[in-house]
Coordinates of all heavy atoms in Angstrom, one line a residue:
M1 N 78.7 91.4 91.4 CA 78.6 91.5 92.8 C 77.7 92.7 93.1 O 78.0 93.8 92.6 CB 79.9 91.6 93.5 CG 79.9 91.9 94.9 SD 80.9 91.1 96.2 CE 81.3 89.5 95.5
R2 N 76.7 92.6 94.0 CA 75.9 93.7 94.3 C 76.1 94.0 95.8 O 76.1 93.1 96.7 CB 74.4 93.2 94.1 CG 73.4 94.3 94.5 CD 72.1 93.9 94.1 NE 72.0 93.8 92.6 CZ 71.0 93.4 91.9 NH1 70.0 93.0 92.5 NH2 71.1 93.4 90.6
Y3 N 76.2 95.3 96.1 CA 76.4 95.7 97.5 C 75.4 96.8 97.7 O 75.3 97.8 97.0 CB 77.8 96.2 97.7 CG 78.1 96.7 99.1 CD1 78.3 95.9 100.1 CD2 78.2 98.1 99.3 CE1 78.5 96.3 101.4 CE2 78.4 98.6 100.6 CZ 78.6 97.7 101.6 OH 78.8 98.2 102.9
R4 N 74.6 96.7 98.8 CA 73.6 97.7 99.1 C 74.0 98.3 100.5 O 74.3 97.6 101.4 CB 72.3 97.1 99.2 CG 71.7 96.7 97.9 CD 70.3 96.2 98.0 NE 69.9 95.7 96.7 CZ 69.2 94.6 96.5 NH1 68.8 93.9 97.5 NH2 68.9 94.2 95.3
L5 N 73.9 99.6 100.6 CA 74.1 100.3 101.8 C 73.0 101.4 101.9 O 73.0 102.4 101.1 CB 75.5 100.9 101.9 CG 75.8 101.7 103.1 CD1 75.8 100.8 104.3 CD2 77.2 102.3 103.0
K6 N 72.1 101.2 102.8 CA 70.9 102.1 103.0 C 70.2 102.2 101.6 O 69.7 101.2 101.1 CB 71.3 103.4 103.6 CG 71.9 103.2 105.0 CD 72.2 104.5 105.6 CE 72.8 104.3 107.0 NZ 73.1 105.5 107.7
D7 N 70.2 103.4 101.1 CA 69.4 103.6 99.8 C 70.3 103.6 98.6 O 69.9 103.9 97.5 CB 68.7 105.0 99.9 CG 69.6 106.2 100.1 OD1 70.7 106.0 100.6 OD2 69.2 107.3 99.7
K8 N 71.6 103.2 98.7 CA 72.5 103.1 97.6 C 72.8 101.7 97.2 O 72.8 100.8 98.1 CB 73.8 103.8 97.9 CG 73.6 105.3 98.1 CD 75.0 106.0 98.2 CE 74.8 107.5 98.4 NZ 76.0 108.2 98.4
E9 N 73.0 101.5 96.0 CA 73.4 100.1 95.5 C 74.6 100.3 94.6 O 74.6 101.2 93.7 CB 72.2 99.5 94.7 CG 72.5 98.1 94.2 CD 71.3 97.5 93.5 OE1 71.0 97.9 92.3 OE2 70.6 96.7 94.2
F10 N 75.5 99.3 94.7 CA 76.7 99.3 93.9 C 76.9 98.0 93.2 O 76.7 97.0 93.9 CB 78.0 99.6 94.8 CG 77.9 100.8 95.6 CD1 77.4 100.9 96.9 CD2 78.4 102.0 95.1 CE1 77.3 102.0 97.6 CE2 78.3 103.2 95.8 CZ 77.8 103.2 97.1
L11 N 77.2 98.0 92.0 CA 77.4 96.8 91.2 C 78.8 96.7 90.7 O 79.3 97.7 90.1 CB 76.4 96.7 90.0 CG 74.9 96.7 90.4 CD1 74.0 96.8 89.1 CD2 74.6 95.4 91.1
F12 N 79.5 95.6 90.9 CA 80.8 95.4 90.5 C 80.9 94.1 89.7 O 80.3 93.1 90.0 CB 81.8 95.3 91.7 CG 81.7 96.5 92.6 CD1 81.0 96.5 93.7 CD2 82.5 97.6 92.3 CE1 80.9 97.6 94.5 CE2 82.4 98.8 93.1 CZ 81.7 98.7 94.2
P13 N 81.8 94.0 88.6 CA 82.0 92.7 88.0 C 82.6 91.7 88.9 O 83.5 92.0 89.7 CB 83.0 93.1 86.8 CG 82.9 94.5 86.7 CD 82.5 95.1 88.0
V14 N 82.0 90.5 89.0 CA 82.5 89.5 89.9 C 84.0 89.2 89.7 O 84.7 89.0 90.7 CB 81.7 88.2 89.7 CG1 82.3 87.1 90.6 CG2 80.3 88.4 90.1
G15 N 84.5 89.3 88.5 CA 85.9 89.1 88.3 C 86.8 90.1 88.9 O 88.0 89.9 89.0
D16 N 86.3 91.3 89.3 CA 87.0 92.3 89.9 C 86.9 92.4 91.4 O 87.4 93.3 92.0 CB 86.6 93.7 89.3 CG 86.9 93.9 87.9 OD1 87.7 93.2 87.3 OD2 86.3 94.8 87.3
C17 N 86.3 91.3 92.0 CA 86.0 91.4 93.4 C 86.6 90.1 94.1 O 86.7 89.1 93.5 CB 84.5 91.3 93.7 SG 83.6 92.7 92.9
I18 N 86.9 90.3 95.4 CA 87.3 89.2 96.2 C 86.8 89.6 97.6 O 86.9 90.7 98.1 CB 88.9 89.0 96.2 CG1 89.2 87.8 97.0 CG2 89.6 90.2 96.7 CD1 90.7 87.4 96.9
L19 N 86.3 88.6 98.3 CA 85.8 88.8 99.7 C 86.9 88.4 100.6 O 87.5 87.3 100.5 CB 84.5 88.0 99.9 CG 83.3 88.4 99.1 CD1 82.2 87.4 99.4 CD2 82.9 89.8 99.3
L20 N 87.3 89.3 101.5 CA 88.4 89.1 102.4 C 87.8 88.9 103.8 O 86.8 89.6 104.2 CB 89.3 90.3 102.4 CG 90.0 90.6 101.1 CD1 90.8 91.9 101.2 CD2 90.8 89.5 100.6
D21 N 88.4 88.1 104.6 CA 88.0 87.9 106.0 C 88.7 88.9 106.9 O 89.6 88.6 107.7 CB 88.4 86.5 106.4 CG 87.8 86.1 107.8 OD1 86.8 86.8 108.2 OD2 88.3 85.2 108.4
I22 N 88.3 90.2 106.7 CA 88.8 91.3 107.6 C 87.6 92.1 108.0 O 86.5 92.1 107.4 CB 89.8 92.2 106.8 CG1 89.2 92.7 105.5 CG2 91.0 91.4 106.5 CD1 90.1 93.7 104.8
E23 N 87.8 92.8 109.1 CA 86.7 93.6 109.7 C 86.5 95.0 109.0 O 85.4 95.5 108.7 CB 86.8 93.9 111.2 CG 86.7 92.6 112.0 CD 86.7 92.8 113.4 OE1 86.4 93.9 113.9 OE2 87.1 91.9 114.2
V24 N 87.7 95.6 108.7 CA 87.7 97.0 108.1 C 88.7 97.0 106.9 O 89.8 96.4 107.1 CB 88.1 98.0 109.1 CG1 88.1 99.4 108.5 CG2 87.1 98.0 110.3
A25 N 88.4 97.6 105.8 CA 89.3 97.6 104.7 C 90.1 98.9 104.7 O 90.1 99.7 103.8 CB 88.5 97.5 103.4
S26 N 90.8 99.1 105.8 CA 91.8 100.2 105.9 C 93.1 99.8 105.3 O 93.4 98.6 105.1 CB 92.0 100.6 107.4 OG 92.7 99.6 108.1
A27 N 94.0 100.7 105.0 CA 95.3 100.4 104.5 C 96.1 99.6 105.4 O 96.8 98.6 105.0 CB 96.0 101.7 104.1
E28 N 96.0 99.9 106.7 CA 96.7 99.1 107.8 C 96.2 97.6 107.8 O 97.0 96.7 107.8 CB 96.5 99.7 109.1 CG 97.1 101.1 109.3 CD 96.2 102.2 108.8 OE1 95.1 102.0 108.3 OE2 96.7 103.4 108.9
T29 N 94.9 97.4 107.8 CA 94.3 96.1 107.8 C 94.7 95.3 106.5 O 95.1 94.1 106.6 CB 92.8 96.1 108.0 OG1 92.5 96.9 109.1 CG2 92.2 94.8 108.1
L30 N 94.6 96.0 105.4 CA 95.0 95.3 104.1 C 96.5 94.9 104.1 O 96.8 93.8 103.6 CB 94.6 96.1 102.9 CG 93.1 96.3 102.7 CD1 92.8 97.4 101.6 CD2 92.5 95.0 102.3
A31 N 97.3 95.8 104.5 CA 98.8 95.5 104.6 C 99.0 94.3 105.4 O 99.8 93.4 105.1 CB 99.5 96.7 105.0
N32 N 98.4 94.3 106.6 CA 98.6 93.1 107.5 C 98.1 91.8 106.9 O 98.7 90.8 107.0 CB 98.0 93.4 108.9 CG 98.8 94.3 109.8 OD1 100.0 94.1 109.8 ND2 98.2 95.2 110.4
F33 N 96.9 91.9 106.3 CA 96.3 90.8 105.6 C 97.2 90.2 104.5 O 97.5 89.0 104.5 CB 94.9 91.1 105.0 CG 94.3 90.0 104.3 CD1 93.5 89.1 105.0 CD2 94.4 89.9 102.9 CE1 92.9 88.0 104.3 CE2 93.7 88.9 102.2 CZ 93.0 87.9 102.9
V34 N 97.7 91.1 103.7 CA 98.6 90.6 102.6 C 99.9 90.0 103.2 O 100.4 89.0 102.7 CB 98.9 91.8 101.6 CG1 100.0 91.4 100.6 CG2 97.7 92.2 100.9
L35 N 100.5 90.7 104.2 CA 101.7 90.1 104.8 C 101.5 88.7 105.4 O 102.3 87.8 105.1 CB 102.2 91.1 105.9 CG 103.4 90.6 106.7 CD1 104.6 90.5 105.8 CD2 103.6 91.5 107.9
Q36 N 100.4 88.5 106.1 CA 100.1 87.2 106.7 C 99.9 86.2 105.6 O 100.4 85.0 105.7 CB 98.9 87.3 107.6 CG 99.2 88.1 108.9 CD 100.4 87.6 109.6 OE1 100.6 86.4 109.9 NE2 101.3 88.6 109.9
R37 N 99.2 86.5 104.5 CA 98.9 85.6 103.4 C 100.3 85.2 102.8 O 100.5 84.0 102.4 CB 98.0 86.1 102.4 CG 96.6 86.2 102.9 CD 95.9 84.9 103.2 NE 95.6 84.1 102.0 CZ 94.4 84.1 101.4 NH1 93.5 84.8 101.8 NH2 94.3 83.4 100.3
M38 N 101.1 86.2 102.6 CA 102.4 85.9 102.0 C 103.3 85.0 102.8 O 103.9 84.0 102.4 CB 103.2 87.2 101.7 CG 102.7 87.9 100.5 SD 103.8 89.3 100.0 CE 105.2 88.4 99.5
L39 N 103.3 85.2 104.1 CA 104.0 84.4 105.1 C 103.5 83.0 105.1 O 104.3 82.0 105.3 CB 104.0 85.0 106.5 CG 104.8 86.3 106.6 CD1 104.5 87.0 108.0 CD2 106.3 86.2 106.3
E40 N 102.2 82.8 104.9 CA 101.6 81.5 104.9 C 101.8 80.7 103.6 O 101.9 79.5 103.6 CB 100.1 81.6 105.1 CG 99.6 82.1 106.4 CD 98.2 82.4 106.5 OE1 97.4 82.2 105.5 OE2 97.7 82.9 107.6
T41 N 102.0 81.4 102.5 CA 102.0 80.7 101.2 C 103.4 80.7 100.5 O 103.6 79.9 99.6 CB 101.0 81.3 100.2 OG1 101.3 82.7 100.1 CG2 99.6 81.1 100.8
V42 N 104.3 81.7 100.8 CA 105.5 81.8 100.1 C 106.7 81.2 100.9 O 106.8 81.5 102.1 CB 105.8 83.2 99.7 CG1 107.2 83.4 99.1 CG2 104.7 83.8 98.9
K43 N 107.5 80.3 100.3 CA 108.7 79.8 101.0 C 109.8 80.7 100.5 O 110.3 80.6 99.4 CB 108.9 78.4 100.6 CG 110.1 77.8 101.3 CD 110.3 76.3 101.0 CE 111.6 75.8 101.4 NZ 111.7 75.4 102.7
F44 N 110.3 81.6 101.4 CA 111.3 82.6 101.1 C 112.7 81.9 101.2 O 112.9 81.1 102.1 CB 111.2 83.8 102.0 CG 110.0 84.6 101.8 CD1 108.9 84.4 102.7 CD2 109.9 85.5 100.8 CE1 107.7 85.1 102.5 CE2 108.7 86.2 100.6 CZ 107.6 86.0 101.5
P45 N 113.6 82.3 100.4 CA 115.0 81.8 100.5 C 115.6 82.3 101.8 O 115.2 83.3 102.3 CB 115.7 82.3 99.3 CG 114.9 83.3 98.7 CD 113.5 83.2 99.2
K46 N 116.7 81.6 102.2 CA 117.3 81.9 103.5 C 117.9 83.3 103.5 O 118.1 83.9 104.6 CB 118.4 80.9 103.8 CG 117.8 79.6 104.1 CD 118.8 78.6 104.7 CE 118.2 77.2 104.8 NZ 117.9 76.9 106.2
N47 N 118.3 83.9 102.3 CA 118.9 85.2 102.3 C 117.8 86.3 102.5 O 118.2 87.5 102.7 CB 119.7 85.4 101.0 CG 118.8 85.4 99.8 OD1 117.8 84.7 99.7 ND2 119.2 86.2 98.8
V48 N 116.5 86.0 102.5 CA 115.5 87.0 102.7 C 115.3 87.0 104.3 O 114.8 86.0 104.8 CB 114.2 86.7 102.0 CG1 113.1 87.6 102.4 CG2 114.4 86.6 100.5
T49 N 115.5 88.1 104.9 CA 115.5 88.2 106.3 C 114.3 89.1 106.8 O 114.0 89.1 108.0 CB 116.8 88.7 106.9 OG1 117.0 90.0 106.4 CG2 117.9 87.8 106.6
R50 N 113.7 89.8 105.9 CA 112.6 90.7 106.3 C 111.7 90.9 105.1 O 112.1 91.0 104.0 CB 113.1 92.0 106.8 CG 112.0 93.0 107.3 CD 112.5 94.2 108.1 NE 111.4 95.1 108.5 CZ 110.6 94.9 109.5 NH1 110.7 93.8 110.3 NH2 109.7 95.7 109.8
I51 N 110.4 91.0 105.4 CA 109.3 91.3 104.4 C 108.6 92.5 104.9 O 108.2 92.6 106.0 CB 108.3 90.1 104.3 CG1 109.0 88.8 103.9 CG2 107.2 90.4 103.4 CD1 109.6 88.9 102.5
E52 N 108.4 93.4 103.9 CA 107.6 94.6 104.2 C 106.6 94.8 103.1 O 106.9 94.6 101.9 CB 108.5 95.9 104.3 CG 109.5 95.9 105.5 CD 110.2 97.2 105.6 OE1 110.0 98.1 104.8 OE2 110.9 97.3 106.6
I53 N 105.4 95.2 103.5 CA 104.3 95.3 102.6 C 103.7 96.7 102.8 O 103.5 97.2 103.9 CB 103.1 94.3 102.9 CG1 103.6 92.9 102.8 CG2 101.9 94.6 102.0 CD1 103.9 92.5 101.4
G54 N 103.4 97.4 101.7 CA 102.8 98.7 101.7 C 101.5 98.8 100.9 O 101.5 98.2 99.9
V55 N 100.5 99.5 101.4 CA 99.3 99.6 100.7 C 99.0 101.1 100.7 O 98.9 101.8 101.7 CB 98.1 98.9 101.4 CG1 96.8 99.2 100.8 CG2 98.4 97.4 101.4
D56 N 98.8 101.7 99.5 CA 98.5 103.1 99.4 C 97.0 103.3 99.2 O 96.3 102.6 98.4 CB 99.2 103.7 98.1 CG 100.7 103.9 98.4 OD1 101.1 104.1 99.6 OD2 101.5 103.9 97.4
E57 N 96.5 104.3 99.9 CA 95.1 104.7 99.8 C 94.9 105.8 98.8 O 93.9 105.9 98.1 CB 94.5 105.1 101.1 CG 94.5 104.1 102.2 CD 94.0 104.6 103.5 OE1 94.5 105.7 103.9 OE2 93.3 103.9 104.2
G58 N 95.9 106.6 98.6 CA 95.9 107.7 97.7 C 97.3 108.4 97.8 O 98.2 107.9 98.6
R59 N 97.5 109.4 97.1 CA 98.7 110.1 97.1 C 99.1 110.6 98.5 O 98.4 111.3 99.1 CB 98.6 111.4 96.2 CG 100.0 112.1 96.0 CD 99.8 113.2 95.1 NE 99.4 112.7 93.7 CZ 100.0 113.0 92.6 NH1 101.1 113.8 92.6 NH2 99.6 112.5 91.5
G60 N 100.2 110.1 99.0 CA 100.7 110.5 100.3 C 100.0 109.8 101.5 O 100.2 110.1 102.6
Q61 N 99.1 108.9 101.2 CA 98.3 108.2 102.3 C 98.5 106.7 102.1 O 98.2 106.2 101.0 CB 96.9 108.6 102.2 CG 96.6 110.0 102.5 CD 95.1 110.3 102.5 OE1 94.4 109.9 101.5 NE2 94.6 110.9 103.5
G62 N 98.9 106.0 103.1 CA 99.0 104.6 103.1 C 99.6 104.0 104.4 O 99.7 104.8 105.3
A63 N 99.8 102.8 104.4 CA 100.4 102.1 105.6 C 101.3 101.0 105.2 O 101.2 100.4 104.1 CB 99.2 101.5 106.4
W64 N 102.3 100.8 106.0 CA 103.4 99.8 105.8 C 103.4 98.9 107.1 O 103.2 99.4 108.2 CB 104.7 100.4 105.6 CG 104.9 101.0 104.3 CD1 104.6 102.3 103.9 CD2 105.5 100.4 103.2 NE1 104.9 102.4 102.6 CE2 105.5 101.3 102.1 CE3 106.1 99.1 103.0 CZ2 106.0 101.0 100.8 CZ3 106.6 98.8 101.7 CH2 106.5 99.7 100.7
T65 N 103.7 97.7 106.8 CA 103.9 96.7 107.9 C 105.0 95.8 107.5 O 105.3 95.6 106.3 CB 102.6 95.9 108.3 OG1 102.8 95.2 109.5 CG2 102.2 95.0 107.1
G66 N 105.6 95.1 108.4 CA 106.7 94.2 108.1 C 107.0 93.2 109.2 O 106.4 93.4 110.3
Q67 N 107.8 92.2 108.9 CA 108.1 91.2 109.8 C 109.5 90.6 109.5 O 109.8 90.3 108.4 CB 107.0 90.1 109.8 CG 107.3 89.0 110.9 CD 106.1 88.1 111.0 OE1 105.0 88.5 110.9 NE2 106.4 86.9 111.3
D68 N 110.3 90.5 110.6 CA 111.5 89.7 110.4 C 111.3 88.3 110.2 O 110.4 87.7 110.9 CB 112.4 90.0 111.6 CG 112.9 91.4 111.7 OD1 113.0 92.1 110.7 OD2 113.1 91.9 112.8
L69 N 112.0 87.6 109.4 CA 111.8 86.2 109.2 C 112.8 85.4 110.0 O 113.8 85.8 110.4 CB 112.0 85.8 107.7 CG 111.0 86.6 106.7 CD1 111.3 86.2 105.3 CD2 109.6 86.2 107.1

C-alpha cells in the first residue's frame, strides 16, 4: 500500500493494512468503530450486559467507549 502526503511517501505491506470508513484515526474514533463492528457481528450471551472497548495511542494515552446491551 502506498500513501503519499505532500513530498513524503510511505509504503506498507498490504497484509498489514486495512482501510476503515472513518474520517479521523484518533483513539476515540477507532474505539467507537470497533465497538460498533462488534455490536453488529457478535451475538453476546444474555449474561453480558455491557461492552467496553479501549484503544491505546501510547503509554498513558488512549480512549475508552462502552455501551449497555
